[in-house]
Amino acid sequence: MESNLYIRDARPSDAQLIAWTILTAMGLEEDLVPHMAEITIREDTLYSWCRARIAVLDGTPAGCLISYPGEEYMQYRNATWRMFRPFENDELADFDLETFPGEYYLDSLAVKPEFRGRGLGKALLLDGVAKAHSMGYDKVTLIAETDHPHLREFYNSCGFMEFGDLLFFGDDYKRMEYIG
């Protein structure tokens, strides 16, 4: 891990990076960043700046993790997805729940391409785990697409193990839990 790396709480001014993170994690086009930034600037969405941590390397925001307690998921899920234009409202019924009460959920993670391979992703994940534990959560979860074995291997190397399956917007995912 880089010695000139630190992780901080996001600010409203990080909306573009947070939006890019979500779109990158979902495999969607970057041209949606301005629209998604309108969602991240709000405090009442899953993808709010209030739920993000930023990795800063050499003074430059280089990566982001959005995470939150499972109890907040249902509260903000439908409103968040209804604001996000690429999905139709009836698609909300077509996927399993990502997280549940009693869990702390690591939702979206991305590191800018020019900063990859330097340990920032792992640092952000472990920062999310530490945040969960500081809030009293023992169960920290995330999901990974079944057809991305390299991503699941990365999560395994960070201490996450598979424990279930789910269907999310038509794709198969593995639920994973941090075991240390």
Side-chain angles (χ1 to χ4, degrees), residues 7 10 13 19 32 47 49 53-54 60 62 67 76 80 113 116-117 125-126 137 155 177 179:
I7 299 175
S13 60
L32 293 170
Y47 304 132
W49 63 272
R53 299 270 291 161
I54 306 296
T60 302
S67 62
Y76 298 119
T80 301
R116 291 179 185 159
L125 283 176
L126 296 179
Y137 288 90
Y155 292 143
E177 180 178 356
I179 58 164

Side-chain angles (χ1 to χ4, degrees), residues 29-115:
E29 299 297 320
E30 287 186 38
D31 63 345
L32 293 170
V33 166
H35 172 62
M36 183 59 80
E38 294 173 13
I39 295 169
T40 65
I41 200 75
R42 299 173 58 116
E43 293 184 15
D44 62 346
T45 67
L46 287 176
Y47 304 132
S48 171
W49 63 272
C50 299
R51 292 170 187 71
R53 299 270 291 161
I54 306 296
V56 180
L57 183 62
D58 294 329
T60 302
C64 176
L65 172 70
I66 296 106
S67 62
Y68 45 84
E71 290 80 4
E72 294 180 4
Y73 180 69
M74 290 306 294
Q75 178 183 355
Y76 298 119
R77 178 187 84 135
N78 290 346
T80 301
W81 288 108
R82 283 192 182 97
M83 288 181 236
F84 192 41
R85 288 188 203 121
F87 300 107
E88 299 297 326
N89 288 339
D90 60 347
E91 288 185 51
L92 290 171
D94 293 338
F95 63 88
D96 295 329
L97 300 180
E98 296 172 82
T99 188
F100 300 91
E103 300 177 356
Y104 191 83
Y105 185 59
L106 308 182
D107 188 302
S108 297
L109 168 72
V111 174
K112 290 181 180 179
E114 64 269 28
F115 295 102

